[in-house]
């Protein structure tokens, strides 16, 4: 547990030294820090300026963004799995990914809004539609909610196809790249635009960690424990949607991440949401950062992070699944 | 009776099954030989740049169908100036670079369809209906010359095709030789496609040819035709000039305000430029020479004082499109 909490620190530090630029090598970065801390004479001041630019303007925002996005998707996934009492649930179950993809495609094709804002808004709209469609006589059935999520996903996927059909090759390529999930456009600006909703959602989910355990037992058990299951579920739903919408709006669709990581965490520490919430955030953030380190260094070009998530994350998940219990019931 | 009608229909066709007997023959970019007994009178052209070629060859009357992209965005105005049928939207558009309505293509009864070689499934379906396809795949300026030459052969305008190619080659070589006289340090250019600021082209691309013809070097050293690079690499390359492909939604100011780009020389010195029109600078038409001239003036402003871009543009349009070129704005 302590090890898992400390895990992000070395990964965050090492990530600062990893990148495709030969100019910003480990040696140059050490030299830059030496110059910064001890005000030593720099052999090549221009090079150090470039190193500073790469480290501070490019790597650092990307590292922080990767960590926040991974943490948000993971903690949202685990919270939703708890309230839906279903191990197959991910933050995308209520149409978030297809709504966000449609919003991003609209903005990429017609530029009526910034891409991230449009993705964020349409992601929220999709989840709200799923929720409204599922309510019947003021009751919210989980089965109805999942079904309406599937239908809303279908509708937004069809709308996305229409936008793609009407787009020229340049715009179509941008849309496809966006849907692959990537962090190569990470910047302080994107980070500033997304960290508040991400952290707000994560903090609410963290504060709800006790109730998640009660909600995971079922509605009747929750009521006997003095918890209003409908109200609490809505709060969790809103917080998870807020965090994951903000994450998707800046990073695109990182497939299955919010499904796989909560299971990994459960395999490691068990199903208790009291520890699970914070560990999901820390481990989810760190794991995505490691994947992004691969994504930006494995080749001379950017590999979409969603692809790497699948290629590295999925086999690792299958390995854990074979070696240990899935950790849902116990 | 029906059989007689069908047989008589076949005998009127411009197509021939035995290519060795064809008087008109070309080899398309798939390496497939296409033969005709007489010049195709009805051509469906689903590639915008190739359509420009037909207008340059003065063979537009043979066109009976175009790409739907012609009716969208920036290029519509220019094609409308070239052809009343496009202006009045009466020239059918049965498909584009991506989706094709086979039914609408067949309904136009074409003698030939010109389309991208990458549209393999549609090509197969159209050819299965007995309609010849000239498939195009452009990877270099030499490919562009071959395309114009082939379209000239197909439409019986070989002389016009030769003069167009000769004119372009002369323009480019005259420009290159004038460059040799100016002994200035070569500028490093980062080319930015409209898909995103980190999408560029490497050393084995038409963009690279464009940059080199303008007397500069491509900042991207990777060989890829299209590549998504990391911002770290762009900062490391530190280009002197950034050239954006035309984008109706972005301007050089947007690039200069991008977070993390402020230490790049081109941004620091406000040397970010945008090609002004997809039609005018289309790298897959003989108009690429105008983009070469633009790039040169942006890279070497002091050495390009005697280049009047407006008159260069109007001369080029007149030479390439003839009298109708005067109507293009």
């Amino acid at each position: 547990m302590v090890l898992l909490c400390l895990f992000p620190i070395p990964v965050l530090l090492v990530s600062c030294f990893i990148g495709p630029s030969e100019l910003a090598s480990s040696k140059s970065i050490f030299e830059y820090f030496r110059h910064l801390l001890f005000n030593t004479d720099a052999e090549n001041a221009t090079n150090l300026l470039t190193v500073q630019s790469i480290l501070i303007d490019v790597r650092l925002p990307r590292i922080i963004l990767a960590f926040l996005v991974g943490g948000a998707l993971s903690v949202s996934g685990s919270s939703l799995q708890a309230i839906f009492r279903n191990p197959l649930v991910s933050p995308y179950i209520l149409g978030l990914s297809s709504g966000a993809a449609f919003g991003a495609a609209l903005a990429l094709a017609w530029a009526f809004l910034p891409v991230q804002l449009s993705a964020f808004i349409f992601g929220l709209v999709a989840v709200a539609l799923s929720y409204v469609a599922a309510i019947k006589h003021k009751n919210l059935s989980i089965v109805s909610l999942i079904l309406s999520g599937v239908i809303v996903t279908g509708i937004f996927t069809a709308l996305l196809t229409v936008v793609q059909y009407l787009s020229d090759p340049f715009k179509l390529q941008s849309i496809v790249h966006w849907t692959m999930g990537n962090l190569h456009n990470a910047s302080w600006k994107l980070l500033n635009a997304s960290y508040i909703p991400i952290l707000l959602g994560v903090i609410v989910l963290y504060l709800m960690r006790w109730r998640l355990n009660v909600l995971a037992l079922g509605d009747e058990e929750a009521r006997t424990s003095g918890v209003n299951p409908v109200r609490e579920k809505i709060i969790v739903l809103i917080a998870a949607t807020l965090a994951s919408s903000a994450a998707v709006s800046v990073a695109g669709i990182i497939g299955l991440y919010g499904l796989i990581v909560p299971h990994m965490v459960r395999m490691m520490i068990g199903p208790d949401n009291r520890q699970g919430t914070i560990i999901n955030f820390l481990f989810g953030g760190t794991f995505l950062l490691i994947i992004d380190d691969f994504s930006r260094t494995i080749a001379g070009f950017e590999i979409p992070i969603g692809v790497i998530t699948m290629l590295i994350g999925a086999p690792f998940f299958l390995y854990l699944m074979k070696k240990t219990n899935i950790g849902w019931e116990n | 009776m029906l059989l007689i009608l069908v047989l008589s229909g076949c005998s009127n066709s411009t197509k021939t099954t035995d290519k060795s007997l064809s008087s008109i023959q070309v080899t398309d970019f798939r390496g497939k030989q296409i033969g005709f007994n007489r010049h195709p009178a009805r051509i469906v052209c689903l590639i915008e740049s190739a359509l420009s070629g037909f207008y340059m060859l003065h063979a537009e009357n043979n066109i009976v169908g175009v790409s739907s992209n012609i009716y969208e965005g920036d290029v519509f105005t220019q094609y409308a100036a070239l052809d009343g049928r496009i202006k009045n939207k009466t020239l059918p558009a049965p498909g584009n670079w991506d989706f094709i309505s086979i039914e609408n293509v067949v309904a136009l009864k074409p003698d030939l369809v010109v389309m991208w070689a990458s549209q393999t499934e549609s090509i197969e379906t159209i050819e299965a209906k007995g309609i010849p396809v000239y498939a195009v795949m452009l990877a270099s300026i030499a490919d562009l010359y071959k395309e114009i030459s082939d379209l000239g052969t197909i439409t019986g305008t070989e002389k016009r095709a030769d003069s167009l190619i000769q004119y372009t080659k002369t323009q480019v070589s005259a420009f290159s030789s004038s460059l040799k006289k100016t002994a200035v340090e070569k500028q490093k250019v980062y080319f930015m496609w409209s898909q995103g600021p980190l999408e560029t082209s490497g050393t084995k691309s038409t963009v690279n040819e464009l940059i080199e013809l303008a007397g500069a070097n491509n900042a991207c050293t990777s060989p890829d035709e299209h590549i998504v690079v990391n911002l770290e690499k762009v900062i490391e390359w530190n280009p002197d000039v950034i050239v954006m492909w035309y984008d109706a939604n972005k301007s050089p100011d947007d690039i200069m305000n991008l977070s993390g780009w402020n230490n790049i020389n081109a941004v620091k010195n406000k040397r970010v430029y945008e090609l002004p029109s997809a039609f005018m600078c289309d790298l897959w038409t003989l108009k690429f020479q105008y983009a070469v001239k633009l790039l040169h003036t942006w890279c070497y402003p002091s050495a390009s004082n005697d280049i009047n871009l407006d008159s260069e543009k109007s001369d080029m349009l007149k030479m390439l499109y003839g009298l109708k070129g005067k109507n293009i704005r």
Side-chain angles (χ1 to χ4, degrees), chain B residues 110-275:
Chain B
D111 300 321
L112 174 72
V113 177
V114 178
M115 56 199 286
W116 290 114
S118 56
Q119 296 175 291
T120 47
E121 284 184 21
S122 300
I123 290 176
E124 215 171 283
T125 315
I126 292 169
E127 284 183 332
K129 299 195 183 311
I131 303 168
V133 170
Y134 177 81
V136 179
M137 181 53 70
L138 303 174
S140 66
I141 288 166
D143 286 344
L144 176 58
Y145 292 144
K146 172 191 157 38
E147 183 200 39
I148 292 293
S149 174
D150 286 352
L151 297 184
T153 308
I154 288 168
T155 53
T157 55
E158 296 92 334
K159 279 187 184 167
R160 173 76 184 151
D162 287 345
S163 75
L164 286 170
I165 293 168
Q166 211 45 54
Y167 160 72
T168 309
K169 283 183 174 172
T170 312
Q171 283 291 304
V172 172
S173 68
F175 203 71
S176 301
S177 58
S178 77
L179 279 174
K180 284 171 193 159
K181 292 173 196 163
T182 53
V184 283
E185 196 185 334
K186 278 197 171 188
Q187 298 278 286
K188 215 190 299 176
V189 175
Y190 175 75
F191 191 89
M192 187 185 283
W193 286 108
S194 60
Q195 290 93 322
L198 295 170
E199 308 221 5
T200 188
S201 282
T203 50
K204 287 183 181 166
S205 64
T206 317
V207 164
N208 194 71
E209 284 188 80
L210 171 82
I211 293 170
E212 289 188 350
L213 286 171
N217 285 334
N218 191 352
C220 176
T221 48
S222 154
D224 307 76
E225 153 62 33
H226 188 113
I227 183 172
V228 182
V229 294
N230 190 294
L231 180 54
E232 287 186 23
K233 288 306 258 186
V234 184
I235 292 173
E236 189 179 289
W237 293 330
N238 198 15
D240 304 299
V241 176
I242 293 175
V243 174
M244 302 163 62
W245 177 247
Y246 170 75
D247 186 342
N249 302 328
K250 275 196 215 111
S251 73
D253 282 343
D254 296 321
I255 303 305
M256 286 191 271
N257 290 325
L258 277 177
S259 173
W261 288 67
N262 48 326
N263 284 320
I264 295 170
N265 273 347
V267 175
K268 273 196 288 196
N269 300 323
K270 295 190 169 37
R271 295 182 71 195
V272 182
Y273 305 96
E274 182 182 10
L275 291 171

Side-chain angles (χ1 to χ4, degrees), chain B residues 88-105:
Chain B
N88 300 322
K89 299 191 174 176
T90 54
L91 195 56
N96 60 19
W97 58 276
D98 196 8
F99 298 100
I100 292 170
S101 162
I102 303 293
E103 192 180 313
N104 287 343
V105 169

Side-chain angles (χ1 to χ4, degrees), chain A residues 130 133-136 139-150:
Chain A
S130 300
I135 287 183
K136 202 174 174 184
N139 282 325
L140 182 65
S141 141
I142 292 299
V143 175
S144 301
L145 196 55
I146 292 177
L147 271 177
S148 63
V150 171

